[in-house]
Amino acid sequence: MDAFFTLTACFIYLAVALVLLIAEAFIPSFGVLTIMAFIFAGASVYSAFHVGAYTVGYVVLIAVVVGFPALLILMFKNLHRLPGARRLIPPPPERNPAMTMWK
């Protein structure tokens, strides 16, 4: 297979992985989309190294190793702002002053 098409497939896999990871924040799939995103990210890294372009392979590997956890952390920190997540997260309990010992 031509190196251009394999390298193009590498970046298409990476884009699909990012879209799936972002979709996980909006569609509560309980981790199924995240697992699929990591499978596509692995395919992207494999495809980049399979071409023989080690520089591109290492760049994609670093992008996946650094970018995906950073994106997951950002998503979970801002989860309370998403409309779908508001239904999943219970509201904070109301503070009852009669239940406190000290006023």
Side-chain angles (χ1 to χ4, degrees):
M1 185 179 250
D2 191 31
F4 173 75
F5 293 115
T6 308
L7 214 54
T8 305
C10 162
F11 291 114
I12 289 173
Y13 291 155
L14 190 60
V16 169
L18 287 174
V19 167
L20 286 172
L21 199 58
I22 291 170
E24 176 70 35
F26 296 104
I27 304 169
S29 67
F30 304 105
V32 174
L33 291 177
T34 303
I35 291 170
M36 288 175 49
F38 280 110
I39 289 170
F40 272 99
S44 174
V45 171
Y46 174 76
S47 174
F49 277 112
H50 187 68
V51 172
Y54 290 110
T55 305
V56 176
Y58 283 120
V59 168
V60 171
L61 181 65
I62 290 171
V64 168
V65 168
V66 173
F68 273 43
L71 187 60
L72 279 173
I73 289 169
L74 284 172
M75 282 183 358
F76 282 116
K77 281 192 173 209
N78 295 316
L79 188 65
H80 65 281
R81 297 181 182 165
L82 297 173
R86 289 187 186 138
R87 292 181 296 214
L88 297 174
I89 301 173
E94 294 181 16
R95 184 176 170 166
N96 189 353
M99 298 298 288
T100 59
M101 228 172 159
W102 298 279
K103 294 185 180 184

